[in-house]
């Protein structure tokens, strides 16, 4: 496994692989890897001849009051995990390498980014699409894997790929959960043990939404109210949003008469956690 820190070196290797006709599979990450990331890495290993994983905590996708500084980092540990998964290259550039002082070009998906996380994190998805397009240009993947926990991110990236005619196939991977259902996230490390208990409210709320829909509830407002009250019962929690949206357009639905995405963002202590589930009536 090779650790590469410069764009020029990464481009050289990916161009060579392209010429040889190798299929490049790519998993972009911000590091501090957990089983959720490793599931994506294993899928990519299966789908490509060459496997590249990037580790880059992208400053562009964090708001001024968000956790860019505190975001957990442990490159040594990440490298040893990736070595075991037979990764060919880890691309771990510095922020200076990715963004020169005169950097001034951004990519923005305008509509899909309006609600859910986009409504509360202005500029976040613009930062994500900009860095992902840069990474695609550098790594030149044939296929890239993204987790469905960040459902909106996955949809936004698929839209960017379609709109800009990029030659990369985007594959979504189901959310990987702890035994009790908590979605794996690097931000779970922010939780104290009491907060960890409360963090389960996200998954339980999604199951409650599913139960209500299966029992015939069609009114999204009533479901949102019940979920809000339910989450309120868990200490240290503060709901940022609870939404029931169309899984493709991500626009709120007025009535639940076809599959719907239930998406949540909840602060548990200082950790902002998200989760989602597609519910079939
Ligand atoms: O999902 C993430 O970890 C990040 O948003 C990504 C896709 C690596 C871009 O920085």
């Amino acid at each position: 496994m090779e650790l590469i820190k410069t764009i020029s070196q990464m481009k050289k290797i990916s161009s060579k692989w392209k010429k040889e006709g190798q299929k490049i599979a790519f998993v972009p990450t911000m590091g501090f890897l957990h089983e959720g990331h490793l599931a994506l890495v294993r899928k990519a290993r299966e789908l490509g001849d060459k496997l590249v994983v990037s580790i880059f905590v992208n400053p562009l996708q964090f708001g001024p009051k968000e956790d860019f500084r505190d975001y957990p980092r442990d490159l040594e540990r990440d490298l040893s995990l990736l070595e075991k998964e037979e990764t060919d290259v880890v691309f771990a550039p510095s922020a200076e390498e990715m963004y020169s002082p005169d950097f001034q070009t951004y990519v923005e998906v305008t509509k899909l980014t309006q609600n859910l996380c986009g409504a509360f994190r202005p500029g976040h998805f613009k930062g994500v699409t900009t860095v992902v397009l840069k990474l695609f240009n550098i790594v030149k993947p044939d296929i890239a894997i993204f987790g469905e926990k960040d459902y909106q991110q996955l949809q936004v990236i698929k839209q960017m790929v379609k709109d800009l005619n990029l030659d990369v196939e985007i594959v979504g991977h189901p959310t990987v959960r702890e035994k009790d259902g908590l979605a794996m996230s690097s931000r779970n490390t922010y939780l104290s043990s009491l907060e960890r208990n409360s963090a389960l409210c996200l998954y339980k709320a999604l199951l409650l939404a599913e139960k209500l829909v299966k029992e015939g509830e069609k009114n999204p407002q009533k479901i949102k109210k019940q979920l809000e009250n339910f989450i309120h019962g868990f200490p240290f929690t503060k709901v940022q949003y609870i939404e029931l949206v169309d899984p493709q357009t991500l626009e709120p639905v007025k009535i639940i008469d076809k599959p719907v995405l239930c998406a949540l963002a909840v602060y548990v202590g200082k950790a902002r956690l998200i989760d989602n589930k597609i519910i079939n009536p």
Side-chain angles (χ1 to χ4, degrees), residues 78-91:
D78 290 346
L79 293 177
S80 85
L81 288 169
L82 291 173
E83 178 109 62
K84 289 190 195 111
E85 303 300 335
E86 295 170 41
T87 306
D88 294 291
V89 165
V90 177
F91 177 53

Side-chain angles (χ1 to χ4, degrees), residues 20 65 108 113 135 157 182 194:
E20 291 169 0
K65 294 199 179 115
E108 191 168 16
T113 56
L135 289 167
I157 286 165
L182 177 67
L194 287 177

Side-chain angles (χ1 to χ4, degrees), residues 151 155 245-250 253 259-261 278:
Y151 187 94
Q155 293 304 110
V245 299
D246 179 285
Q248 263 72 50
T249 64
L250 306 185
V253 296
V260 69
L261 178 85
I278 291 191

Side-chain angles (χ1 to χ4, degrees), residues 186-233:
S186 304
R187 290 191 169 97
N188 290 349
T189 51
Y190 297 150
L191 300 167
S192 69
S193 67
L194 287 177
E195 289 167 351
R196 170 66 181 77
N197 296 337
S198 281
L200 207 52
C201 71
L202 284 97
Y203 181 61
K204 287 187 169 164
L206 293 173
L207 295 182
L208 173 60
E210 183 171 58
K211 178 171 167 281
L212 294 169
V213 171
K214 298 274 186 213
E215 284 169 3
E217 183 56 71
K218 288 192 175 356
N219 183 338
Q221 297 308 329
K222 286 191 179 161
I223 296 178
K224 280 166 70 167
K225 195 77 224 152
Q226 286 216 43
L227 262 53
E228 202 176 322
N229 291 338
F230 176 77
I231 293 173
H232 195 68

